[in-house]
Amino acid sequence: MDAIKEAQNNDPEQELLLDLMKALKNLFGGKLFMAKDVVAKLTYNSEILEAIEAISSTPRPNTRQVGWILKNRKGKIIDGLSIIYVKNIKKVKSYRIEDTNDNAEVLFNKPYRYGFPPVPPRVPQPPPPPVPEPVSSPSG
């Protein structure tokens, strides 16, 4: 088990992804963003540009490539940060960076993860009382 943790800690992909998530968290906070928002900020934010270029194979990634990077790394938790995919009515792929250390709800409540409020668990109702059988009177 220790060998697995050590290998995960030494994984360069995780370090690059952590740098990207920190840069996105610094820029967007907990707000929703799309891949096109990230691409629009590349010229103004060198931190995000360096992180995206380190992960991607091209020097200047476009919206599709940034979307692919986010989509394929959603749900991974590194150092308490996670890329969360948020479903949208308009079928627009939106993401946000969640700090799982601050909000344990992200890990355990799937409806909240996709932008809906948590649904309280259903409490089982007790069975109805048995209906007494009618008593017949002896006829005589």
Side-chain angles (χ1 to χ4, degrees):
M1 195 65 164
D2 293 332
I4 293 172
K5 286 184 180 181
E6 185 177 332
Q8 288 175 345
N9 291 336
N10 295 332
D11 185 12
E13 167 75 18
Q14 284 196 342
E15 292 175 17
L16 296 174
L17 182 57
L18 180 60
D19 292 341
L20 175 62
M21 288 193 287
K22 284 181 179 179
L24 291 172
K25 180 76 172 172
N26 290 339
L27 183 63
F28 296 107
K31 297 179 182 175
L32 293 177
F33 60 89
M34 296 179 285
K36 72 176 186 175
D37 299 329
V38 175
V39 171
K41 302 288 183 182
L42 289 179
T43 56
Y44 305 111
N45 193 318
S46 62
E47 186 181 13
I48 289 181
L49 179 61
E50 291 172 6
I52 293 271
E53 285 180 345
I55 291 175
S56 109
S57 58
T58 59
R60 179 74 180 174
N62 60 26
T63 304
R64 181 176 282 175
Q65 292 165 331
V66 170
W68 186 84
I69 289 170
L70 294 172
K71 181 181 83 170
N72 287 315
R73 287 157 179 86
K74 67 182 179 190
K76 288 187 179 181
I77 300 172
I78 301 174
D79 199 25
L81 295 176
S82 179
I83 298 174
I84 304 296
Y85 172 69
V86 180
K87 290 185 179 179
N88 194 325
I89 294 172
K90 297 180 181 179
K91 296 184 181 180
V92 176
K93 294 178 181 170
S94 299
Y95 301 90
R96 80 170 156 239
I97 303 297
E98 288 280 346
D99 190 348
T100 58
N101 295 328
D102 293 343
N103 191 359
E105 195 88 19
V106 174
L107 295 175
F108 304 111
N109 196 343
K110 196 170 184 176
Y112 179 72
R113 174 178 249 171
Y114 295 107
F116 299 106
V119 177
R122 290 191 174 186
V123 178
Q125 298 295 323
V131 178
E133 294 183 22
V135 179
S136 60
S137 59
S139 46

